[in-house]
Amino acid sequence: MTSTDAEIVARVLAGQAEAYRVLVDRYHDRFARLAIHLLGDREDAEEALQDSFVRAYRALGRYEERERFPSWFCRILVNRCRTVGAKRGRRWRHEAGDSAKPTFAAPDDDQLAWREEINWAMARLAHDQREAFLLKHLEDLSYEEMAELTGAGISALKMRVKRAGDHLRELLTNGSKGS
């Protein structure tokens, strides 16, 4: 029988620190993908993710059973990614300039080429648009959950997701033609 997140947290708070590993194993891959998409760099993403797991462990006393652990942890991770992104913002914006458009080592590999093109386009979105788009379409959160997570209003989030989609569509249509 699989323990619920709330049961695992209760065990950790009761002194079974090793039980936290179950939560890390359960959610690592899912949130690693989000961190990579938010930060655009695997090394920074892994650092932010590990730091988020440590911060979550230290804050377990504030976790409430009525909340879903993934939503609670996601707030911690998104905030950590924002901090990491702000610290390296200047460097990242420079790297994401037009000269950073990828060249494909294997142009006949359509799946790899498409993934690279999407990553290239995602890197060109404004941070708030990229974050909203990923929370909606990668994490499949409702706008209400997104608002709780980010502190932004629902209408603002809907506009960010729409603008992100429009911008991605434009980049993927025109960007691949070398513009």
Side-chain angles (χ1 to χ4, degrees), residues 8 19-31 49-50 53-54 57 69 73:
I8 296 167
Y20 189 65
R21 186 77 199 153
V22 174
L23 291 173
V24 173
D25 291 344
R26 187 176 286 174
Y27 294 111
H28 181 275
D29 292 349
R30 172 183 174 184
F31 287 115
L49 180 62
Q50 293 304 319
F53 276 120
V54 170
Y57 177 81
F69 183 84
F73 180 78

Side-chain angles (χ1 to χ4, degrees), residues 3 22 24 36 38 51 53 58 61 64 66 87 107-108 116 122 141 153-154 157-158 163 178:
S3 299
V22 174
V24 173
I36 289 167
L38 286 172
D51 189 49
F53 276 120
R58 291 178 181 157
E64 296 180 17
R66 71 179 188 280
K87 284 182 182 176
D108 57 333
E116 290 292 326
M122 290 294 291
L141 297 180
I154 291 173
L157 289 166
K158 287 180 179 181
R163 286 181 179 159

Side-chain angles (χ1 to χ4, degrees), residues 3-175:
S3 299
T4 67
D5 295 341
E7 291 168 340
I8 296 167
V9 169
R11 287 178 31 212
V12 173
L13 293 174
Q16 296 177 21
E18 69 280 355
Y20 189 65
R21 186 77 199 153
V22 174
L23 291 173
V24 173
D25 291 344
R26 187 176 286 174
Y27 294 111
H28 181 275
D29 292 349
R30 172 183 174 184
F31 287 115
R33 283 190 307 276
L34 177 61
I36 289 167
H37 285 293
L38 286 172
L39 292 170
D41 179 84
R42 196 170 295 277
E43 189 174 306
D44 286 347
E46 188 61 33
E47 181 180 327
L49 180 62
Q50 293 304 319
D51 189 49
S52 296
F53 276 120
V54 170
R55 289 169 188 256
Y57 177 81
R58 291 178 181 157
L60 278 178
R62 294 188 298 262
Y63 171 76
E64 296 180 17
E65 288 185 34
R66 71 179 188 280
E67 290 184 275
R68 294 180 315 145
F69 183 84
S71 296
W72 180 76
F73 180 78
C74 191
R75 281 193 298 275
I76 295 169
L77 179 62
V78 167
N79 286 333
R80 188 66 194 132
C81 287
R82 286 176 178 170
T83 300
V84 169
K87 284 182 182 176
R88 68 177 179 108
R90 243 187 272 260
R91 176 177 60 96
W92 190 84
R93 279 192 294 276
H94 174 70
E95 290 173 0
D98 287 342
S99 63
K101 185 170 180 186
T103 56
F104 306 114
D108 57 333
D109 184 353
D110 291 337
Q111 187 176 16
L112 176 61
W114 183 240
R115 182 177 296 145
E116 290 292 326
E117 194 73 12
I118 290 170
N119 289 339
W120 174 82
M122 290 294 291
R124 277 140 188 81
L125 293 177
H127 178 75
D128 61 340
Q129 290 178 7
R130 181 173 57 250
E131 179 181 85
F133 187 86
L134 291 170
L135 290 174
K136 182 66 182 162
H137 296 294
L138 184 67
E139 288 303 311
D140 201 27
L141 297 180
S142 70
Y143 283 107
E144 291 76 16
E145 290 170 316
M146 291 168 60
E148 182 182 329
L149 181 68
T150 64
I154 291 173
S155 61
L157 289 166
K158 287 180 179 181
M159 185 56 69
R160 289 175 190 173
V161 170
K162 181 192 179 322
R163 286 181 179 159
D166 291 348
H167 195 191
L168 285 171
R169 194 173 302 105
E170 177 184 328
L171 286 168
L172 292 170
T173 301
N174 299 327

